C-alpha cells in the first residue's frame, strides 16, 4: 500500500481496499474495540504477508522518489480509517436508497386535494380551475 496523494489507483492500494472489503463484515459486527482491533491486525498481517517489503510505504518528505516504511501505529490507523469510511459509504448508499423509495413510491392518493374530505362543499368555477392547476403539478 502506498500512502499519499495520487496513489488511489496504485495496485497495492487496490489490493488493500479489496482485503479491507473482504473483512468489512467482521469489522462491522465487532462488538468491542478489541474485536475491531483484531480484524485490523489480521488485515495488516495479510497485507504484510502478501508483500515481501512489508507493504505500507509513504513518500519521503524531501520530495524525492524515496519511499519510507510506515510505522505500525500509523498503518493500523489507516486500516481502521479505511474500514470506517467503507461503512459510512454503505450507510450513505442505504440512506439514498430509502429516500429514493420514499420519493418514487406511489402515493396513497394521486390527487390529495381532490379527496372528498378535502373538498369544500361548494366551489366556484374559479376555485375548481385553481384546484385543477394545483393538481396538475402531481402529474
Amino acid at each position: 500500500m502506498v500512502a499519499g496523494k495520487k496513489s488511489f489507483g496504485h495496485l497495492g492500494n487496490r489490493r488493500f481496499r479489496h482485503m479491507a472489503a473482504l473483512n468489512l463484515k467482521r469489522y462491522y459486527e465487532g462488538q468491542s474495540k478489541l474485536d475491531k482491533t483484531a480484524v485490523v491486525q489480521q488485515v495488516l498481517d495479510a497485507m504484510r504477508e502478501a508483500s515481501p517489503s512489508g507493504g505500507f510505504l509513504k513518500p519521503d518528505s524531501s520530495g524525492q522518489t524515496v519511499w519510507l516504511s510506515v510505522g505500525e501505529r500509523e498503518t493500523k490507523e489507516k486500516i481502521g480509517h479505511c474500514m470506517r469510511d467503507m461503512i459510512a459509504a454503505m450507510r450513505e448508499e442505504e440512506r439514498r436508497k430509502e429516500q429514493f423509495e420514499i420519493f418514487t413510491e406511489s402515493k396513497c392518493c394521486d390527487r390529495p386535494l381532490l379527496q372528498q374530505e378535502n373538498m369544500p362543499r361548494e366551489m366556484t368555477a374559479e376555485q375548481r380551475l385553481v384546484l385543477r392547476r394545483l393538481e396538475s403539478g402531481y402529474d
Side-chain angles (χ1 to χ4, degrees), residues 5 12 14 18 36 44 51 59 77 82 85 87-88 91 95 99-100 107 110 118 120 126 138:
K5 295 178 181 177
R14 293 194 315 251
H18 180 73
K36 293 176 188 288
L44 173 62
S51 174
E77 287 175 5
C82 177
D85 281 351
I87 290 169
R91 287 179 178 156
R95 185 187 65 79
Q99 285 183 339
F100 181 76
K107 309 288 188 260
D110 289 332
N118 294 331
E126 186 178 346
Y138 284 87

Side-chain angles (χ1 to χ4, degrees), residues 84-100:
R84 290 187 299 275
D85 281 351
M86 287 180 168
I87 290 169
M90 288 172 34
R91 287 179 178 156
E92 178 63 21
E93 181 66 24
E94 187 63 31
R95 185 187 65 79
R96 286 182 183 181
K97 283 181 185 177
E98 288 173 4
Q99 285 183 339
F100 181 76

Side-chain angles (χ1 to χ4, degrees), residues 1-5 7-8 10 12-13 55-59 67 70:
M1 183 185 118
V2 177
K5 295 178 181 177
S7 59
F8 185 82
H10 187 274
N13 290 7
F56 294 89
L57 305 171
K58 67 179 177 181
W67 295 92
V70 175

Side-chain angles (χ1 to χ4, degrees), residues 58-138:
K58 67 179 177 181
D60 185 14
S61 60
S62 66
Q64 302 291 328
T65 55
V66 177
W67 295 92
L68 303 173
S69 182
V70 175
E72 181 97 4
R73 181 177 177 198
E74 186 178 347
T75 301
K76 288 180 180 180
E77 287 175 5
K78 288 190 177 293
I79 294 170
H81 190 259
C82 177
M83 299 283 209
R84 290 187 299 275
D85 281 351
M86 287 180 168
I87 290 169
M90 288 172 34
R91 287 179 178 156
E92 178 63 21
E93 181 66 24
E94 187 63 31
R95 185 187 65 79
R96 286 182 183 181
K97 283 181 185 177
E98 288 173 4
Q99 285 183 339
F100 181 76
E101 289 171 3
I102 288 170
F103 290 125
T104 57
E105 69 185 18
S106 63
K107 309 288 188 260
C108 63
C109 177
D110 289 332
R111 301 188 175 277
L113 295 177
L114 290 177
Q115 283 183 340
Q116 203 60 29
E117 63 269 11
N118 294 331
M119 297 279 287
R121 296 206 186 274
E122 294 183 30
M123 289 193 334
T124 65
E126 186 178 346
Q127 288 173 324
R128 279 193 291 278
L129 179 64
V130 169
L131 182 62
R132 284 193 190 101
R133 288 183 182 158
L134 285 172
E135 289 293 345
S136 67
Y138 284 87

Side-chain angles (χ1 to χ4, degrees), residues 25-41:
K25 183 177 181 188
R26 289 185 21 232
Y27 183 87
Y28 180 75
E29 291 174 349
Q31 297 295 316
S32 67
K33 186 172 181 176
L34 188 63
D35 294 340
K36 293 176 188 288
T37 302
V39 174
V40 167
Q41 184 64 49

